[in-house]
Amino acid sequence: MNRQDFLVILTAIVGLIIIAAQFFTVEFIKTTGAELQSWGVIIAALALGLAAVNLSRIHIRRITLRRANWQYSVALVGILFIQAIIGFIDTSGGEVYNFGFENILTPSGAMMFALLAFWIASAAYRAFTARSVDSAILLISATVVMLGNAPIGQAIYEGMPDIKDWIMDVPNMAAQRGIMIGAGIGAIALGIRILMGIERGHLGGGDE
Amino acid sequence: MMSKIRNIDRRIIYAILLVSLAFPIFAPPGLPFAVGNPARNAYAAIDALEPGSLVVLSFDYAPTSADEINPQAMAVMRHLFEQKRGVRVVTLGFWPSGPIFAEINFRALEAEGVTDGLVYGEDYANFGYIAGAENAMAALATDPTDAFRRDREGNRTADLPIMQGVATGSDIDLLVHFGSGTPGVPEYIRQLVDPYGVPMVAGLAAVSVAGSIPYYQAGQVIGYFNGLRGAAEYEQLYGVAGPGTSAMDSFSFGHLTIIAFVLIGNITYFLDPDRKKRK
């Protein structure tokens, strides 16, 4: 048995236990399923640490080789380490740690998202034109949904929120459900392929 | 002429939008708005909680969506701490920054005196963040005190009075999830709502609403808040104007300006004599 076969069998056993734990009330299966979930949480936490190490490695390399825009990497690595050290000493509930979170991360994150409004306004002005029937339908629907969502839409026409609700609850939902059911069936098919060892991409070795 | 208007400097567009967003802050027209059924249902579910009920507030968003979602969370926390005394409130998160927002909100309410008399560990607790996304949600559903073994203060969650009698996810009386992405509504429905029958209310970023409506229509989400508008609706229902309500006029004028730009863009496009040549 080679390494890949071993990992396929391990994946299948773990996957089947988790599935069985959802459907059966056998104590051993339930306990094992719960334990495996805890392992998953621990592995995910380790993966976060690994991600931080990997990020540092990539950006320290960028700095040492003076790659393009290496100054941004200095900022990233510097803040990563400073905030991590503060977190270790002060804990993530501490005042100093939260000062950085509340006064640097939150405003800059909010700013990035808020800038979208300006870019959307500019992009909509230039590109959101009714060049075809499809784009005209999209344009009208988007306008009605925007107006229906804002109080001004109701001030312009009392029934605007109702029209918006219809667009969201009927055509939008029909499309969303179609996408969800398709994605759900796809996920089941992928799960079966992984359990049967047909899909081996997650093992990092391709189909060989 | 038309192409000149179409190719207007984008900085002019930015400036007009900025003025339209800022103007209502200084001279708010106070446009009225109706409260939709999703927010009404969400409010009713929270308002119906009896003393002794366990409500989990899950903070699953990042600073990018905080301005939109945090007013919702603030309004719900105010309602719970002010009027639903005796309801046990646990905050947690599957996004790293989530529980920090819970703490910031709590501190803000504490400064107003809203939380006076509440005891940590008995009336409320902050369990913090655990990694693992949907898998971690599944662990929460299987055994909450095993998934979150320690709270943000370092206490063993199993020893907290607030968690006495809580063995599985089915002991949670209401889940209020504030989120803007993955893991979010679908993951909670798969792991906690459907298997354990936990009622769920969702506080969503406006961009996530379209994708979550099927869950609301199916009854898996009993009510939801639609972005900043959702926060304003909750504040109106509760009767305390907050950041959601005060942002509504800017929200209206911002939307109207973007729609005006779209209209002008279309008019100039169709009146542009060079349009056919470009085709």
Side-chain angles (χ1 to χ4, degrees):
Chain A
M1 189 193 297
N2 64 24
R3 180 183 149 271
Q4 280 228 341
D5 290 339
F6 171 72
L7 290 173
V8 167
I9 292 167
L10 192 66
T11 306
I13 292 169
V14 170
L16 288 172
I17 290 171
I18 294 288
I19 292 169
Q22 293 288 324
F23 293 100
F24 302 105
T25 50
V26 180
E27 193 52 38
F28 168 74
I29 295 174
K30 283 218 102 62
T31 314
T32 314
E35 199 56 40
L36 286 171
Q37 280 169 353
S38 297
W39 289 8
V41 172
I42 294 164
I43 291 166
L46 284 174
L48 272 182
L50 194 66
V53 171
N54 195 32
L55 195 71
S56 309
R57 215 171 58 93
I58 290 167
H59 285 274
I60 288 170
R61 192 169 161 75
R62 282 178 62 90
I63 296 163
T64 50
L65 294 174
R66 294 284 193 275
R67 294 245 170 95
N69 299 322
W70 60 273
Q71 298 88 341
Y72 297 133
S73 297
V74 173
L76 187 143
V77 173
I79 293 168
L80 178 72
F81 280 99
I82 291 167
Q83 193 70 1
I85 291 164
I86 293 169
F88 281 125
I89 298 167
D90 192 40
T91 76
S92 66
E95 261 181 47
V96 183
Y97 184 89
N98 278 335
F99 179 84
F101 183 84
E102 286 179 49
N103 297 291
I104 299 172
L105 186 61
T106 303
S108 47
M111 178 204 68
M112 290 303 290
F113 214 56
L115 282 177
L116 275 178
F118 294 89
W119 292 327
I120 286 170
S122 173
Y125 177 68
R126 287 173 218 286
F128 206 7
T129 44
R131 287 162 207 254
S132 63
V133 177
D134 294 354
S135 57
I137 293 170
L138 186 68
L139 181 72
I140 293 164
S141 311
T143 307
V144 171
V145 170
M146 281 175 76
L147 281 174
N149 218 19
I152 197 126
Q154 201 179 334
I156 294 168
Y157 172 55
E158 194 70 28
M160 196 68 81
D162 298 330
I163 303 172
K164 180 217 84 174
D165 285 346
W166 183 84
I167 291 171
M168 295 298 280
D169 292 349
V170 181
N172 163 67
M173 196 176 67
Q176 293 284 354
R177 275 196 176 151
I179 293 166
M180 279 175 189
I181 293 168
I185 293 169
I188 293 169
L190 181 67
I192 292 170
R193 282 173 64 86
I194 290 172
L195 289 179
M196 292 176 73
I198 301 166
E199 182 69 48
R200 297 183 174 210
H202 64 292
L203 303 176
D207 292 332
E208 71 281 356
Chain B
M1 173 67 182
M2 286 300 152
S3 63
K4 253 189 182 175
I5 298 172
R6 273 186 72 71
N7 295 321
I8 189 173
D9 191 330
R10 66 178 187 277
R11 283 169 295 190
I12 296 171
I13 297 173
Y14 295 167
I16 293 170
L17 184 61
L18 182 67
V19 171
S20 71
L21 288 167
F23 163 72
I25 295 171
F26 299 107
L31 291 167
F33 54 91
V35 178
N37 284 333
R40 250 178 229 289
N41 295 342
Y43 182 87
I46 293 163
D47 203 46
L49 288 167
E50 296 288 338
S53 312
L54 177 67
V55 57
V56 169
L57 307 183
S58 183
F59 287 73
D60 305 308
Y61 55 92
T64 43
S65 323
D67 282 347
E68 205 179 358
I69 301 177
N70 223 32
Q72 301 170 2
M74 194 73 169
V76 171
M77 287 173 85
R78 180 187 295 281
H79 186 184
L80 287 167
F81 291 142
E82 221 167 37
Q83 285 205 347
K84 306 306 293 179
R85 290 280 166 129
V87 170
R88 295 175 291 162
V89 181
V90 168
T91 59
L92 47 83
F94 296 99
W95 283 45
S97 48
I100 303 179
F101 285 113
E103 203 166 289
I104 291 168
N105 289 354
F106 188 86
R107 280 208 309 266
L109 292 170
E110 197 175 30
E112 289 180 37
V114 172
T115 61
D116 286 355
L118 295 175
V119 179
Y120 185 86
E122 285 180 29
D123 301 305
Y124 70 96
N126 188 343
F127 283 9
Y129 158 79
I130 56 167
E134 186 168 359
N135 185 50
M137 285 179 174
L140 169 79
T142 308
D143 186 346
T145 52
D146 191 49
F148 289 84
R149 292 188 186 181
R150 302 222 171 241
D151 65 5
R152 259 172 84 77
E153 315 273 318
N155 307 304
R156 270 175 50 84
T157 55
D159 296 339
L160 295 175
I162 199 170
M163 293 308 282
Q164 296 316 303
V166 179
T168 69
S170 56
D171 296 315
I172 298 168
D173 295 294
L174 182 69
L175 166 71
V176 186
H177 155 74
F178 302 104
S180 60
T182 305
V185 172
E187 290 75 19
Y188 259 128
I189 285 171
R190 285 197 289 263
Q191 302 302 337
L192 188 64
V193 174
D194 278 354
Y196 292 87
V198 178
M200 177 180 178
V201 163
L204 303 165
V207 73
S208 312
V209 170
S212 299
I213 283 181
Y215 300 112
Y216 171 68
Q217 294 289 348
Q220 291 161 310
V221 172
I222 52 179
Y224 66 84
F225 309 119
N226 180 356
L228 206 51
R229 165 78 185 244
E233 289 180 347
Y234 199 96
E235 288 165 5
Q236 188 165 313
L237 287 167
Y238 188 59
V240 176
T245 309
S246 61
M248 275 301 98
D249 288 328
S250 285
F251 188 71
S252 281
F253 281 85
H255 275 54
L256 202 61
T257 307
I258 291 175
I259 289 166
F261 277 130
V262 171
L263 274 176
I264 296 166
N266 274 275
I267 291 165
T268 53
Y269 172 75
F270 283 106
L271 293 181
D272 188 356
D274 295 336
R275 178 171 63 97
K276 286 198 175 122
K277 279 184 218 162
R278 278 203 300 270
K279 275 187 178 174

